[in-house]
Amino acid sequence: METNGETKSQNAEHVLDHFHLFRQPQYLEMFERKKREFEDPACADEVEQIREWTKTKEYRDKNFAREAITINPAKACQPLGAIFAAVGFEGTLPFVHGSQGCVAYFRSHFSRHFKEPSGCVSSSMTEDAAVFGGLNNMIDGLANSYALYKPKMIAVSTTCMAEVIGDDLNSFIKNARDKGSVPQDFDVPFAHTPSFVGSHITGYDNMMKGILEYFWDGKAKTIAPLERKPNERINLIVGFDGNVVGNMRELRRILELMGGDYLIVSDNSDVWDTPADGTFRMYDGGTKLAEISEALHSKATISMQSFCTPKTLPYIQGKGQETVGLHYPIGVAATDQFLQEVSRLSGRPIPEALEKERGRLVDAIADSSAHIHGKRFAVYADPDVALGIAGFLLELGAEPAHILATNGDAAWEQKVRELLDHSPFGAGCQVYPGKDLWHMRSLLFTEPVDFLIGNTYAKYLERDTGTPLIRFGFPIFDRHHHHRFPVWGYQGGLNVLVRILDKIFDEMDRNTNVPAKSDYSFDIIR
């Protein structure tokens, strides 16, 4: 900050925001000195020359030919997804068998996205456990967790360290019970979640299946498996979802309008949206433990994100239930499919209130189609989320150009191509399973688009390539409260439509705001 041409220093009564603080001369001088003395930088001309080369088709071809390195993958590791699944159950404490540093990352990742404290503990494995095994860490860790945090259930997953040395969770938990760490009848389901395989959606799937197996197959084989007695209830599994708070409330509202008997298996919307009313809630809401066993008897299970449940759905189907796999229902057609499946399974008609909501979304799309039609988009997200966004863009008359999922596979690619083939706006779109954000950077330079849809990490692509970013998915660290608004259903589709339109109009204004030069389109009416 400058006063009468002089720089005013920070002091106890005048604290500068970092935005101003690090522009002070003493900091600018320090940064330059550090760069000069410690970074051994290449000359500026060489850096600029290489930077320009990385924008070319030649570099893109080399970039896409690489095999031995991944740069900025758009995914996280398995335990993150396992924790996400676990906290959706009543009074459940996620317990990660591994090092403290890993668990600190998981907790902070969720806390920064949901702006809520995120409970999770670690067995605190260190060098000795890496050599001799982590049994003692498990015994002590379960005992401390049970005594200190008083959960109703502890759900155990693993990190790389425990998996590399081959720790056996089933055996370790049994030994911990025998040592008195937890009562013999206390629920401790588990899942092996090696971080070096799959991604966070794999961990979600493994933990979800592990919890269901634990309750349905006789609590880790210690009692007789449950006998299924079919009823008319329908289970819903939501998958790994950064918008889970808003989506769960919208989902429950829709199901209440439909009528019938439904159970959301793993509902973590409350634990990541607790009120500030003077009461700390380490555990809040969630699927009741008794309901996990009852879920076996349901007529059917719908997965809202089938690429999040590739093991769980077949396991449920093997128990005699009908299963339905969806792909993140955003917009008209995807919501239609969801409601039609619920109607078919429940035998209940779709109510007029939801038909009106559908009509309102169609009307809103028609109102705004002129501004979206023909706009080119690049999208990256988890597989189901990318499918949901792509389908909605096609409904809007937009043209997806690049669709990327680092944790997508060949089956996902085929699904996306089938979606694109059913719309004239999908012609020319390319699909990239297993690619990362450095690949996306090359695409944005060599085949530019009008807008990019992705999570917070895409802001670096926006800065580097100049492609305007529409934030969507997980994680979103640099904007607040997106997770509180639904994106599923007709009402959720309207929220997504508004988010897209706001960015389009912001760019219109930004590019036409110079008085007497470009303000011929700086309109107050759009």
Side-chain angles (χ1 to χ4, degrees):
M1 178 179 291
E2 292 187 358
T3 304
N4 297 327
E6 296 182 359
T7 301
K8 186 174 182 180
S9 299
Q10 179 173 240
N11 56 54
E13 295 181 356
H14 181 76
V15 178
L16 295 179
D17 184 87
H18 62 88
F19 184 83
H20 298 289
L21 178 65
F22 295 121
R23 285 165 171 76
Q24 300 298 301
Q26 65 269 33
Y27 283 101
L28 295 177
E29 180 184 352
M30 179 186 70
F31 295 149
E32 187 60 35
R33 179 173 53 81
K34 282 187 173 182
K35 183 177 181 180
R36 183 176 61 252
E37 295 179 3
F38 300 108
E39 294 183 11
D40 191 23
C43 70
D45 290 343
E46 182 181 1
V47 170
E48 183 61 21
Q49 181 182 6
I50 294 174
R51 191 175 74 86
E52 289 299 317
W53 176 59
T54 63
K55 301 177 182 180
T56 64
K57 176 71 165 54
E58 177 190 13
Y59 180 82
R60 171 183 158 176
D61 292 342
K62 291 181 179 294
N63 188 14
F64 272 76
R66 61 182 158 93
E67 298 177 356
I69 187 173
T70 299
I71 306 173
N72 292 344
K75 66 173 186 176
C77 55
Q78 280 205 51
L80 188 80
I83 295 167
F84 189 98
V87 298
F89 295 95
E90 172 193 26
T92 296
L93 179 66
F95 181 108
V96 181
H97 186 45
S99 67
Q100 289 178 319
C102 294
V103 177
Y105 160 76
F106 306 140
R107 285 199 304 259
S108 65
H109 225 56
F110 286 130
S111 294
R112 289 167 179 169
H113 177 85
F114 292 110
K115 311 305 179 193
E116 292 282 342
S118 185
C120 179
V121 296
S122 163
S123 61
S124 301
M125 292 177 67
T126 53
E127 291 83 353
D128 58 340
V131 175
F132 301 110
L135 176 58
N136 290 332
N137 297 72
M138 178 70 73
I139 292 171
D140 293 341
L142 286 178
N144 290 336
S145 299
Y146 180 77
L148 290 173
Y149 302 115
K150 298 176 174 52
K152 294 183 178 180
M153 180 168 80
I154 298 175
V156 180
S157 56
T158 54
T159 66
C160 298
M161 183 187 296
E163 292 295 331
V164 167
I165 63 177
D167 281 358
D168 182 348
L169 291 185
N170 188 38
S171 173
F172 280 21
I173 293 169
K174 183 178 184 302
N175 274 291
R177 289 187 196 278
D178 293 341
K179 294 285 187 180
S181 297
V182 294
Q184 286 291 339
D185 61 349
F186 184 78
D187 294 321
V188 189
F190 65 88
H192 286 274
T193 54
S195 299
F196 46 80
V197 177
S199 71
H200 54 287
I201 63 173
T202 315
Y204 179 95
D205 187 34
N206 285 335
M207 180 54 77
M208 184 64 66
K209 180 172 180 282
I211 290 174
L212 295 182
E213 281 182 326
Y214 176 86
F215 283 90
W216 292 4
D217 291 344
K219 299 202 173 185
K221 314 297 184 183
T222 59
I223 61 174
L226 295 177
E227 180 183 350
R228 183 167 182 262
K229 300 175 182 178
N231 56 37
E232 293 301 307
R233 175 179 276 185
I234 298 171
N235 301 328
L236 294 103
I237 300 176
V238 302
F240 191 104
D241 179 21
N243 289 88
V244 68
V245 172
N247 280 343
M248 284 305 90
R249 289 167 188 167
E250 180 66 9
L251 183 60
R252 284 196 292 267
R253 186 187 70 85
I254 290 172
L255 294 175
E256 287 173 3
L257 288 172
M258 287 290 299
D261 190 8
Y262 308 98
L263 173 64
I264 296 175
V265 182
S266 182
D267 181 357
N268 41 29
S269 57
D270 286 340
V271 74
W272 278 323
D273 193 29
T274 58
D277 58 2
T279 300
F280 172 66
R281 298 169 175 85
M282 184 168 182
Y283 315 105
D284 196 23
T287 305
K288 303 291 186 184
L289 299 190
E291 291 177 327
I292 306 174
S293 298
E294 294 170 7
L296 172 66
H297 310 304
S298 296
K299 177 180 183 178
T301 295
I302 299 174
S303 172
M304 305 299 284
Q305 299 188 72
S306 63
F307 283 105
C308 287
T309 51
K311 296 178 183 177
T312 302
L313 276 192
Y315 169 74
I316 295 172
Q317 189 175 37
K319 295 295 184 180
Q321 291 188 28
E322 181 178 352
T323 58
V324 175
L326 303 177
H327 302 290
Y328 211 80
I330 304 174
V332 180
T335 304
D336 287 350
Q337 182 187 9
F338 167 60
L339 292 177
Q340 287 164 1
E341 290 291 352
V342 172
S343 177
R344 178 182 66 83
L345 292 169
S346 67
R348 293 174 175 269
I350 298 172
E352 183 182 359
L354 291 176
E355 292 179 353
K356 283 187 174 181
E357 288 183 19
R358 184 185 192 275
R360 293 180 189 120
L361 176 57
V362 173
D363 180 63
I365 292 172
D367 290 342
S368 307
S369 61
H371 294 287
I372 301 178
H373 181 85
K375 294 289 192 300
R376 284 167 49 84
F377 286 78
V379 176
Y380 79 84
D382 287 337
D384 291 293
V385 181
L387 267 165
I389 295 172
F392 190 45
L393 289 175
L394 295 174
E395 287 182 345
L396 299 178
E399 298 179 7
H402 315 300
I403 302 177
L404 182 151
T406 302
N407 45 3
D409 57 13
W412 171 78
E413 180 182 9
Q414 181 179 351
K415 279 282 185 184
V416 178
R417 292 194 182 281
E418 290 172 359
L419 176 69
L420 297 169
D421 289 344
H422 281 82
S423 171
F425 301 112
C429 179
Q430 297 301 313
V431 186
Y432 301 97
K435 300 303 182 184
D436 56 46
L437 297 190
W438 197 249
H439 291 113
M440 179 62 84
R441 179 182 182 275
S442 284
L443 293 171
L444 295 177
F445 274 127
T446 57
E447 297 181 42
V449 296
D450 298 303
F451 297 94
L452 169 65
I453 297 179
N455 61 24
T456 281
Y457 295 109
K459 73 185 301 178
Y460 297 107
L461 293 173
E462 180 181 39
R463 181 181 65 178
D464 203 9
T465 68
T467 310
L469 169 63
I470 300 168
R471 287 165 175 79
F472 199 98
F474 180 92
I476 296 179
F477 295 150
D478 61 334
R479 298 294 186 270
H480 290 199
H481 309 306
H482 284 208
H483 64 277
R484 300 179 191 273
F485 297 91
V487 299
W488 287 353
Y490 303 126
Q491 188 61 46
L494 186 59
N495 290 337
V496 178
L497 174 62
V498 170
R499 198 180 301 181
I500 292 171
L501 286 168
D502 281 350
K503 192 66 174 184
I504 291 174
F505 294 144
D506 284 344
E507 287 301 302
M508 282 185 181
D509 289 344
R510 188 178 66 84
N511 292 320
T512 60
N513 64 358
V514 180
K517 290 187 177 181
S518 66
D519 62 344
Y520 42 81
S521 294
F522 195 72
D523 298 331
I524 61 171
I525 299 173
R526 297 294 189 192

